[in-house]
Amino acid sequence: MKTDPNLNHFMFEAIELSIRNVKEGKGGPFAAIVVKDGRVISRGTNLVTSTSDPTAHAEIVAIREACKVLKSFQLVGCELYTSCEPCPMCMGAIYWARPARVYFGSTRKDAAKIGFDDSFIYNELTKSISRRKIPLIQCMREEALAAFREWQQKDDKISY
Amino acid sequence: MKTDPNLNHFMFEAIELSIRNVKEGKGGPFAAIVVKDGRVISRGTNLVTSTSDPTAHAEIVAIREACKVLKSFQLVGCELYTSCEPCPMCMGAIYWARPARVYFGSTRKDAAKIGFDDSFIYNELTKSISRRKIPLIQCMREEALAAFREWQQKDDKISY
């Protein structure tokens, strides 16, 4: 396999950022970088505790910033370098943002070993709704479908 | 089963918001509300296309806002009402925020029928990394683990 000469450089920077993030007390030991055409578009680190935002994982922060820079809700042709395998929340964000590929360093199991819930959440999402740790209760489906009918009938909608 | 008298009221409001969101052209047909002690703490609608932010799903918007209001990265004792079953990104955010329970209206299959990727992403996350549609490539694991060692050695860390 041919190795991209820039690969290690970007991953190295993501890892450096993840270490600095811990030292500076900004949040968990995670960082991510979005790259397009060999240029860094955005950098993100985990800011959950310093910003009181449970969604402020490194990948989410980097994706949101990259989309702001590109003025687009899609990361077409971009690559995401992240210091650790993305959790289900971040993987979901990746699928919605649709970058070309993702490089990661450590794994969900490595993260679980130091106390992060990534593996637990992956397991939860494979369970049927009735067996999840956080109860999920369905109600008013018929009424809720009215919004979907509204969406289907809308002529000038922007799909994503 | 005894029904919470406020239940339909909150879900009704979430559904109303989801319909209005489409009419106002702000984004997809989705809305969510965070409730604590019978009071609405935050409201969120899907703002993906209007804010160029692929992570701006209704649940994420509502969770971020609720955490801002409560000045906490945890939604202890809160309930989330969402007009549609949360996608994997939003379910991930829910597990990280840890509300007491989640009520939802329509399902991931209903969402798939009108063109949203929720079901597809759920399926992707059950696949091994090598079989996913967006390539996930591991590299530099040993180097990346340095951030985890830094985290473990940190005395004043805030876990989440």
Side-chain angles (χ1 to χ4, degrees):
Chain A
M1 201 179 87
K2 206 179 155 203
T3 309
D4 178 341
N6 295 309
L7 177 60
N8 290 348
H9 173 71
F10 293 128
M11 184 55 94
F12 185 77
E13 185 176 337
I15 292 169
E16 287 263 289
L17 278 176
S18 71
I19 295 168
R20 204 192 309 157
N21 200 55
V22 178
K23 285 185 177 160
E24 293 177 354
K26 290 186 179 171
F30 308 100
I33 290 174
V34 176
V35 172
K36 187 170 188 180
D37 302 330
R39 257 182 3 107
V40 175
I41 301 288
S42 70
R43 295 168 177 86
T45 63
N46 182 293
L47 302 173
V48 169
T49 54
S50 59
T51 64
S52 296
D53 181 356
T55 75
H57 282 202
E59 297 92 328
I60 301 272
V61 173
I63 287 171
R64 297 182 83 212
E65 180 61 25
C67 287
K68 211 177 278 180
V69 170
L70 298 174
K71 296 181 178 59
S72 167
F73 53 84
Q74 297 281 269
L75 294 179
V76 179
C78 294
E79 291 170 338
L80 180 76
Y81 293 80
T82 175
S83 62
C84 179
E85 180 187 351
C87 80
M89 174 176 74
C90 295
M91 275 311 305
I94 287 163
Y95 278 100
W96 290 114
R98 306 183 182 94
R101 65 191 65 80
V102 176
Y103 296 96
F104 69 97
S106 52
T107 68
R108 67 177 86 168
K109 284 184 184 168
D110 294 325
K113 273 184 205 152
I114 61 162
F116 291 99
D117 278 350
D118 304 48
S119 265
F120 162 73
I121 300 173
Y122 271 105
N123 289 338
E124 282 288 295
L125 295 200
T126 63
K127 292 182 190 170
S128 66
I129 279 177
S130 61
R131 297 187 55 222
R132 305 241 182 106
K133 284 274 159 54
I134 296 181
L136 269 173
I137 304 140
Q138 190 177 26
C139 63
M140 297 177 70
R141 173 173 173 262
E142 282 308 318
E143 292 85 345
L145 287 173
F148 287 7
R149 284 190 291 273
E150 193 74 34
W151 178 257
Q152 285 185 289
Q153 286 158 16
K154 193 174 174 68
D155 292 327
D156 61 343
K157 63 175 170 273
I158 304 170
S159 296
Y160 58 89
Chain B
M1 201 181 84
K2 204 178 157 201
T3 310
D4 178 341
N6 295 309
L7 176 58
N8 290 348
H9 173 71
F10 294 129
M11 185 53 94
F12 185 77
E13 185 176 337
I15 293 169
E16 287 262 289
L17 278 176
S18 70
I19 296 168
R20 205 192 310 158
N21 200 56
V22 178
K23 285 185 176 159
E24 293 177 355
K26 290 186 179 170
F30 308 100
I33 290 174
V34 175
V35 173
K36 187 170 188 179
D37 302 329
R39 257 183 3 108
V40 175
I41 301 289
S42 70
R43 295 168 178 86
T45 63
N46 182 293
L47 301 174
V48 169
T49 54
S50 59
T51 64
S52 296
D53 180 355
T55 74
H57 283 202
E59 298 92 327
I60 300 273
V61 173
I63 288 170
R64 297 182 82 212
E65 180 61 24
C67 287
K68 212 177 276 180
V69 170
L70 298 174
K71 296 180 178 58
S72 168
F73 54 83
Q74 297 281 269
L75 294 179
V76 179
C78 293
E79 292 169 339
L80 180 76
Y81 293 79
T82 176
S83 61
C84 180
E85 181 187 350
C87 80
M89 174 177 73
C90 294
M91 275 311 305
I94 287 163
Y95 277 100
W96 290 114
R98 305 183 182 94
R101 65 190 66 78
V102 176
Y103 296 96
F104 69 97
S106 51
T107 69
R108 67 177 86 169
K109 284 184 185 170
D110 295 325
K113 273 183 207 155
I114 60 161
F116 291 99
D117 277 349
D118 305 47
S119 263
F120 161 73
I121 300 173
Y122 271 105
N123 289 339
E124 282 288 295
L125 296 200
T126 63
K127 292 182 189 168
S128 67
I129 279 177
S130 61
R131 297 187 55 222
R132 304 241 183 107
K133 285 273 160 53
I134 297 180
L136 269 172
I137 304 140
Q138 189 176 27
C139 64
M140 296 178 71
R141 173 173 174 260
E142 281 309 316
E143 291 84 347
L145 287 173
F148 287 9
R149 285 191 290 275
E150 192 74 33
W151 177 257
Q152 285 185 289
Q153 285 157 16
K154 192 173 174 70
D155 293 326
D156 60 344
K157 64 175 167 271
I158 305 170
S159 295
Y160 59 88

